[in-house]
Amino acid sequence: MSDVRFDDVLKRTWEALSSCEPLMQSCDAITIIRDLQGRITVYLECTNRSSLGDTLLETVREILMSRLDVYFSGDLWVSDPRDDVFASLEDVIHSERIPLQWALRHEDHEASGGSQPEFYVLERRVAKEYWNERVDSESTLPWPVCDVDARKRPAVVTFYSFKGGLGRTTSLAGVSLVLARLGFHVAMIDLDLEAPGLATLFFKDTGSQTGVVDYLIEKPLHQDDYTVRENVLTVADPVLVAGGNPIRLLPAGSVNQNYLEKLARLDFQHQTSTQIQQTLKRLLIEISDTYRSLDFIFLDSRAGFHDLGGLAVTRMSHAVVMLGNHSRQTWAGLTSVIDTLSGHGVREPVPVVLVHAMAPGPTHPNASVEQRLFRETAYDVFQKHYYADQGDISVPNENDPDAPFHPVVIPWHEILRGDIHLSHVSDDERRRTEALVRVLTGEPYDDLARRLALLFGRDFPAGGGGKDHVG
Ligand SMILES: Nc1ncnc2c1ncn2[C@@H]1O[C@H](COP(=O)(O)OP(=O)(O)OP(=O)(O)O)[C@@H](O)[C@H]1O
Ligand SMILES: [Mg+2]
């Protein structure tokens, strides 16, 4: 039996790595990453990557294996600035790690600050494996995509952006309005539990409205005595849905002191079990069973590499709407997500509709240049990361307007700026809501709705959703 204990692992890792002189010569920084079980992966950064030959890496691996035994994961990662996935991983590592001497401050430890290379520790107490996992199985979906195609079940579509504030919630609302007005049945679910916003867009006062957080906490305890219906709001205002169908809305929950207590418990469950995954799946099935004719369930996921977002995007969705603007940060993050969604030839890639969000408006002098750059970057990233391992799946033509990499452009619009509301009491408010709805059912949102309908073989009338219900 191994005599290595959790408490000794960081120090042992440091000793083992420091004893390897050629490694010390080659690296600028070493990050010791410790996973949920306490096992170590080492992340090596060096300016001259070629100095880290395979033989040296093998030696380091052997040293770690002998010193850490069961506490070594077997993984050594070497940073590679040319690889976009590593670049975004590195952003996460850099933002979350701490110097090793801080981690060992309670121990008799001589790892001096300023030594070459710098040693860091990254504690992965929060599991981000949904985002990192390269292989996934279709069985995690709440129901198979063939049920969606056969119109037996709705398509679950997650709206995702790597950065916040790009209009994710607003686009989800706009697309839902377009589809509802056309006679589709839509449900919207706010999974942005840390910063919920969907319900307040549609309702002035949601009072003590319960929601996703309550379901995730209560359902495992109450089982069938707790139903999702208790949490669902209905958007049926004719100013919004015209003659179309009501939209179902499941808010995140009421934000009060209890909300934080519930959220904290969910965060912890994420680290310790798969219960949230199971309950979320159950939630989707229950919604689909309760509102039988649903065509779409839209999930508003949190931005960034958040766990619930990862769960929604990588395990629950039949398609992902991915919003980004043209910035390095967006592309670093989205590249990594696109890579995960590709399925790596092991399963079908998850369908994606890309959105160039907050694009400069048509009269802006940079509009066409920025749109072209976004489009070109998208094509390049999808080529490298979405289609790379796909074997016989051919890359659509670069000019195919419905290809995953061909973005729907949603321009910045003055009327949507600031804290917008769709609820109204006075005539003035109603006129303001009507003006907002005209924009939210206008061309970009209509185009996005059409792309989603197309993905799942739903008829989408030419002329789109700004019009009233067609059938
Ligand atoms: N096309 C647009 N043009 C201008 N402003 C917009 C547009 N779409 C949304 N907005 C505004 O930008 C802000 C952010 O939008 P929204 O809340 O939809 O973004 P988000 O990506 O969901 O943000 P968060 O990450 O905070 O949830 C809001 O004030 C919204 O009214
Ligand atoms: Mg939002």
Side-chain angles (χ1 to χ4, degrees):
M1 203 181 84
S2 165
D3 63 351
V4 185
R5 295 287 174 268
F6 184 96
D7 289 1
D8 311 323
V9 165
L10 289 183
K11 199 167 171 187
R12 272 181 179 253
T13 311
W14 174 74
E15 285 165 358
L17 296 169
S18 308
S19 72
C20 182
E21 197 48 40
L23 182 73
M24 296 297 97
Q25 302 289 341
S26 309
C27 286
D28 306 319
I30 296 182
T31 307
I32 303 169
I33 303 172
R34 180 150 67 170
D35 73 11
L36 275 180
Q37 291 169 291
R39 288 179 317 164
I40 299 295
T41 291
V42 177
Y43 187 66
L44 305 169
E45 289 165 68
C46 51
T47 2
N48 179 11
R49 196 175 185 283
S50 58
S51 61
L52 280 180
D54 286 349
T55 329
L56 176 56
L57 290 178
E58 203 38 53
T59 310
V60 175
R61 210 172 261 119
E62 276 164 20
I63 297 174
L64 288 171
M65 198 65 88
S66 74
R67 293 284 291 156
L68 301 180
D69 199 66
V70 293
Y71 275 101
F72 181 44
S73 72
D75 281 339
L76 275 183
W77 295 342
V78 182
S79 107
D80 182 357
R82 291 160 310 177
D83 182 329
D84 293 336
V85 174
F86 262 113
S88 63
L89 181 68
E90 194 160 285
D91 284 347
V92 176
I93 291 175
H94 285 181
S95 66
E96 294 188 7
R97 69 187 181 182
I98 58 167
L100 176 67
Q101 62 265 31
W102 296 7
L104 294 180
R105 63 189 178 278
H106 298 305
E107 295 181 28
D108 173 22
H109 170 64
E110 62 273 34
S112 61
S115 65
Q116 221 10 278
E118 289 289 347
F119 276 81
Y120 297 91
V121 175
L122 171 63
E123 297 279 14
R124 289 186 55 213
R125 290 180 218 95
V126 178
K128 301 230 186 287
E129 63 261 29
Y130 303 128
W131 293 112
N132 297 335
E133 220 171 43
R134 293 196 149 222
V135 176
D136 199 354
S137 135
E138 274 176 57
S139 64
T140 64
L141 286 174
W143 47 85
V145 72
C146 58
D147 283 1
V148 179
D149 292 337
R151 305 188 180 206
K152 288 189 200 145
R153 293 273 188 185
V156 178
V157 180
T158 298
F159 281 58
Y160 175 78
S161 62
F162 182 65
K163 292 211 299 174
L166 288 183
R168 191 179 61 252
T169 304
T170 310
S171 312
L172 188 155
V175 168
S176 301
L177 291 178
V178 170
L179 291 168
R181 290 162 83 96
L182 286 171
F184 290 95
H185 293 88
V186 178
M188 312 180 284
I189 302 183
D190 195 347
L191 281 190
D192 189 354
L193 303 186
E194 267 85 357
L198 198 53
T200 48
L201 183 58
F202 285 91
F203 296 94
K204 221 176 216 118
D205 178 17
T206 48
S208 56
Q209 178 63 38
T210 48
V212 176
V213 164
D214 301 273
Y215 188 94
L216 293 177
I217 291 282
E218 308 284 0
K219 189 72 179 181
L221 298 173
H222 295 287
Q223 298 289 335
D224 291 344
D225 291 337
Y226 190 88
T227 62
V228 74
R229 215 183 258 281
E230 298 177 31
N231 303 304
V232 172
L233 296 167
T234 298
V235 177
D237 174 4
V239 175
L240 301 186
V241 296
N245 287 317
I247 306 172
R248 310 296 171 182
L249 193 168
L250 179 58
S254 298
V255 182
N256 52 28
Q257 185 52 35
N258 281 333
Y259 186 86
L260 292 179
E261 289 295 340
K262 285 177 266 190
L263 204 55
R265 272 156 186 79
L266 295 178
D267 280 346
F268 189 71
Q269 281 181 38
H270 257 304
Q271 300 157 35
T272 54
S273 75
T274 57
Q275 180 159 301
I276 292 193
Q277 181 175 344
Q278 288 154 10
T279 315
L280 185 59
K281 192 167 171 174
R282 196 162 166 191
L283 168 68
L284 294 170
I285 293 172
E286 199 176 322
I287 288 198
S288 161
D289 286 343
T290 307
Y291 305 100
R292 290 215 67 90
S293 47
L294 280 179
D295 296 291
F296 292 98
I297 299 179
F298 293 139
L299 308 180
D300 188 4
S301 101
R302 185 151 188 69
F305 291 129
H306 187 265
D307 286 311
L308 198 58
L311 190 56
V313 167
T314 65
R315 313 251 175 131
M316 299 290 153
S317 303
H318 301 103
V320 175
V321 172
M322 199 178 275
L323 295 93
N325 57 356
H326 193 59
S327 69
R328 262 200 81 238
Q329 228 188 337
T330 276
W331 281 117
L334 289 191
T335 300
S336 161
V337 178
I338 288 164
D339 197 271
T340 305
L341 293 181
S342 80
H344 295 270
V346 176
R347 61 166 167 84
E348 295 269 302
V350 179
V352 172
V353 181
L354 185 66
V355 174
H356 181 181
M358 301 281 187
T363 56
H364 193 282
N366 281 348
S368 61
V369 174
E370 192 185 303
Q371 283 184 31
R372 180 174 52 76
L373 287 174
F374 188 91
R375 231 179 16 247
E376 287 171 359
T377 311
Y379 182 70
D380 193 46
V381 167
F382 273 79
Q383 278 272 29
K384 282 203 204 117
H385 295 276
Y386 193 72
Y387 295 107
D389 308 325
Q390 299 302 347
D392 51 1
I393 294 184
S394 58
V395 184
N397 183 298
E398 188 172 355
N399 298 317
D400 179 350
D402 295 323
F405 48 74
H406 191 97
V408 171
V409 180
I410 300 190
W412 189 87
H413 196 301
E414 173 67 27
I415 196 178
L416 298 177
R417 191 178 55 84
D419 188 18
I420 61 169
H421 298 277
L422 296 171
S423 52
H424 53 94
V425 178
S426 66
D427 284 349
D428 272 355
E429 284 177 343
R430 183 175 46 76
R431 277 190 289 278
R432 188 214 55 211
T433 300
E434 283 167 348
L436 284 171
V437 169
R438 270 194 296 280
V439 173
L440 289 175
T441 56
E443 195 185 324
Y445 302 95
D446 191 76
D447 196 21
L448 183 50
R450 184 189 60 80
R451 291 274 297 268
L452 290 172
L454 187 78
L455 271 184
F456 300 103
R458 306 298 199 266
D459 295 332
F460 192 85
K467 313 282 173 298
D468 287 353
H469 175 210
V470 292

